[in-house]
Amino acid sequence: MKKIYIKTWGCQMNEYDSSMITTILQKTKKYSLTESAEKSDILILNTCSIREKAQEKVFHQLGRWKKIKNNNPSVIIAVGGCVATQEGKEIFKRANYVDIIFGTQTLHKLPQMISEVETSRKLSIDISFPKLEKFKYSLESKKKGYTANISIMEGCNKYCSFCIVPYTRGREISRPCDDILFEISILAKQGVREINLLGQNVNAYKGSTFNRKICYFSELIRLVAEIDGIDRIRFTTSNPREFTDDIIDVYKDTPKLVSFLHLPVQSGSNKILNLMKRSYTIEDYKSIVNKLIIARPNIQISSDFIVGFPGESEIDFQQTMLFIKNINFDMSFSFIYSKRPGTPASKMKDDVDLEEKKKRLYILQDRINIQTMLWSRKMFGTIQSILVEGVSDKNIMELYGRTENNRIVTFKGSPNTIGQFVNVKIKKVHTHSLKGELLQK
């Protein structure tokens, strides 16, 4: 059997895709996974194009792999994911030792593409968008562990001015509802207890059912909650524009849905949101949060922020800081704005000085960290339901798991509890992690 090595960058969707690549190749019984690039026959790079200089990061990695190929010319190098979809044959022009370029929707064609390269030793490229073909292979995947990411839809129709996703993942397309439920049922039988529903714009889900009706996102969550063995549900990532009242209602009647929500806002300034083409206002966002708090009083919110977007003045930034304080966000993913090739924002004048961007990012992240710690301190002395995921990497005498609000908790306990939900009393608090004491039933 030939050895395959997969390096994955980017979001949970990319992680999900890489798990499908592994399943697809192993199913042929020709390949097995290795953790050593140097010992691999096939090197696969699954890329992400969200951050600045994503292409250069790819070529730096390929340069390192070129040395492996120089020592063993029979090694096959494949590049996939968002950068591959975005750049296409340009990758081969800069790195002519690459053998395969595949897209976000064509990873299921890898066995055929590998065979073509082995026969012809010529570049094989397919970055087309054949819709949902790849997902039939997800139903055959086997999961190790007790949590699982499930992709329910791909793509985005929003075309925010800064975002490359619609160009690399395509337009929104939802998987059939029954396929998703079947996949989750299989995972539940394998021991999975927590599901994270994935999509670039997950709350826009509109999947077909067996009787040709439409299943909306709110209904899908309730159906997942009915599956035996699944006791906790998360989803990521959402767009405020489509966070409708029917989704908020799920928080009222579906306790398996966690009291934690990641809802990207990007800026606290309506002027900047308009330039970003986000199609909602700060007032809209506040309304959603207020409704959520009524539906689930203990809910915590995290978000995304872009700092230094073209046209962002000091006043705009201060509006963002005030907004962060008013909403009292628990956590955030925050970044300095960077141009993505081909997006409308890349044509705007990038008029915020880099040092000013760094300064603003530091101020924002410092404020978020303070709020994160304050939220963590509120958990001191509370009893938390923890899904025990395994033995702690830092101390083999301890176990670890996650709270609903995504804190890792370490505690002493029996390995027999791994894969189960247990009650843990929080005894020590750090910003992003906690220590606890297992309560006996």
Side-chain angles (χ1 to χ4, degrees):
M1 297 179 73
K2 292 188 175 180
K3 301 288 186 182
I4 56 172
Y5 175 83
I6 304 175
K7 192 172 190 68
T8 307
W9 291 331
C11 64
Q12 291 161 309
M13 188 75 79
N14 271 20
E15 295 285 350
Y16 183 84
D17 284 350
S18 289
S19 70
M20 266 205 289
I21 290 171
T22 302
T23 297
I24 290 165
L25 290 176
Q26 287 182 333
K27 188 188 174 188
T28 66
K29 302 192 182 303
K30 296 179 181 179
Y31 311 99
S32 63
L33 205 61
T34 178
E35 295 184 1
S36 171
E38 288 73 19
K39 295 179 180 178
S40 177
D41 300 294
I42 301 164
L43 298 164
I44 301 172
L45 182 59
N46 192 4
T47 64
C48 173
S49 62
I50 293 296
R51 298 268 64 83
E52 187 179 13
K53 299 180 180 178
Q55 294 90 332
E56 295 310 309
K57 185 178 178 183
V58 168
F59 290 113
H60 288 156
Q61 181 60 55
L62 291 176
R64 290 188 282 272
W65 282 359
K66 182 181 180 182
K67 297 174 183 177
I68 297 175
K69 186 156 186 167
N70 286 341
N71 292 330
N72 182 6
S74 66
V75 166
I76 291 174
I77 298 177
V79 183
C82 292
V83 174
T85 303
Q86 180 182 326
E87 297 296 311
K89 206 165 186 176
E90 294 300 314
I91 292 174
F92 183 74
K93 289 180 180 178
R94 281 189 60 179
N96 62 7
Y97 47 90
V98 169
D99 302 286
I100 294 170
I101 301 170
F102 63 97
T104 55
Q105 303 296 331
T106 53
L107 57 85
H108 59 291
K109 298 183 179 182
L110 266 175
Q112 175 189 340
M113 297 173 83
I114 292 170
S115 295
E116 289 173 359
V117 170
E118 288 174 334
T119 302
S120 68
R121 305 311 297 186
K122 293 180 180 179
L123 174 69
S124 179
I125 179 170
D126 190 337
I127 52 172
S128 60
F129 288 90
K131 296 189 177 179
L132 295 173
E133 282 182 20
K134 72 177 186 181
F135 283 110
K136 66 181 180 181
Y137 296 95
S138 67
L139 301 178
E140 302 167 1
S141 52
K142 297 227 182 328
K143 179 67 181 174
K144 294 180 181 178
Y146 306 97
T147 66
N149 295 320
I150 302 296
S151 180
I152 66 169
M153 64 179 297
E154 287 250 357
C156 185
N157 298 346
K158 303 301 173 285
Y159 289 91
C160 300
S161 64
F162 58 84
C163 187
I164 197 71
V165 166
Y167 308 97
T168 59
R169 289 277 179 178
R171 294 183 63 79
E172 289 171 2
I173 183 164
S174 300
R175 293 177 63 190
C177 169
D178 301 291
D179 285 0
I180 295 167
L181 297 176
F182 181 56
E183 181 179 358
I184 294 173
S185 297
I186 292 172
L187 292 171
K189 290 176 181 177
Q190 295 173 7
V192 169
R193 305 291 301 278
E194 179 181 300
I195 291 295
N196 186 17
L197 304 174
L198 299 180
Q200 275 77 33
N201 185 21
V202 71
N203 50 336
Y205 175 82
K206 298 177 184 66
S208 61
T209 65
F210 68 94
N211 56 358
R212 297 185 180 180
K213 292 184 178 180
I214 293 177
C215 175
Y216 291 91
F217 185 55
S218 56
E219 183 183 355
L220 178 66
I221 295 173
R222 291 190 178 99
L223 290 170
V224 172
E226 293 295 321
I227 296 174
D228 288 341
I230 300 302
D231 294 304
R232 187 180 277 175
I233 303 168
R234 304 181 187 273
F235 60 84
T236 189
T237 187
S238 302
N239 190 308
R241 178 174 160 186
E242 291 181 289
F243 211 95
T244 47
D245 287 348
D246 63 306
I247 298 173
I248 293 170
D249 287 341
V250 180
Y251 285 89
K252 298 177 183 178
D253 57 38
T254 310
K256 289 184 180 182
L257 181 60
V258 297
S259 296
F260 185 83
L261 170 65
H262 184 71
L263 187 60
V265 65
Q266 307 301 353
S267 174
S269 161
N270 281 333
K271 183 191 91 177
I272 298 302
L273 290 179
N274 185 50
L275 290 171
M276 289 177 169
K277 296 191 181 301
R278 290 293 284 176
S279 302
Y280 56 83
T281 65
I282 290 307
E283 291 72 27
D284 295 332
Y285 192 98
K286 286 180 179 177
S287 176
I288 293 168
V289 172
N290 289 336
K291 290 177 183 178
L292 283 165
I293 291 171
I294 293 170
R296 192 75 70 87
N298 61 336
I299 196 166
Q300 291 170 236
I301 311 290
S302 68
S303 197
D304 291 348
F305 293 93
I306 295 174
V307 175
F309 190 80
E312 184 189 74
S313 66
E314 180 62 27
I315 293 174
D316 296 317
F317 177 67
Q318 290 305 323
Q319 287 176 347
T320 296
M321 293 304 299
L322 180 61
F323 183 70
I324 288 171
K325 181 180 178 181
N326 289 341
I327 297 294
N328 195 17
F329 289 106
D330 179 19
M331 302 177 185
S332 81
F333 295 100
S334 48
F335 307 95
I336 287 173
Y337 168 74
S338 61
K339 290 183 179 181
R340 306 315 306 130
T343 61
S346 67
K347 299 173 184 176
M348 298 178 184
K349 183 180 179 182
D350 193 356
D351 53 359
V352 184
D353 178 75
L354 179 59
E355 289 306 311
E356 180 63 24
K357 288 180 183 178
K358 290 179 179 178
K359 174 187 167 186
R360 292 177 186 177
L361 182 66
Y362 174 81
I363 293 170
L364 187 150
Q365 291 181 338
D366 185 58
R367 178 66 226 178
I368 291 286
N369 284 335
I370 290 171
Q371 293 180 187
T372 301
M373 189 61 191
L374 290 173
W375 276 110
S376 291
R377 284 176 180 168
K378 289 181 181 180
M379 300 176 71
F380 181 80
T382 62
I383 296 172
Q384 298 289 324
S385 177
I386 308 296
L387 173 56
V388 188
E389 295 183 42
V391 177
S392 171
D393 290 336
K394 295 182 179 179
N395 185 346
I396 61 171
M397 302 302 293
E398 293 183 331
L399 304 174
Y400 80 95
R402 286 183 187 271
T403 61
E404 281 198 28
N405 60 350
N406 257 337
R407 264 57 166 191
I408 291 179
V409 183
T410 56
F411 55 93
K412 291 182 179 178
S414 168
N416 293 334
T417 61
I418 293 174
Q420 300 177 23
F421 281 90
V422 298
N423 289 326
V424 174
K425 187 171 185 178
I426 304 305
K427 293 286 192 176
K428 193 172 182 180
V429 171
H430 302 287
T431 304
H432 297 285
S433 63
L434 310 165
K435 272 192 171 292
E437 177 184 305
L438 179 64
L439 300 181
Q440 301 299 325
K441 293 183 179 180

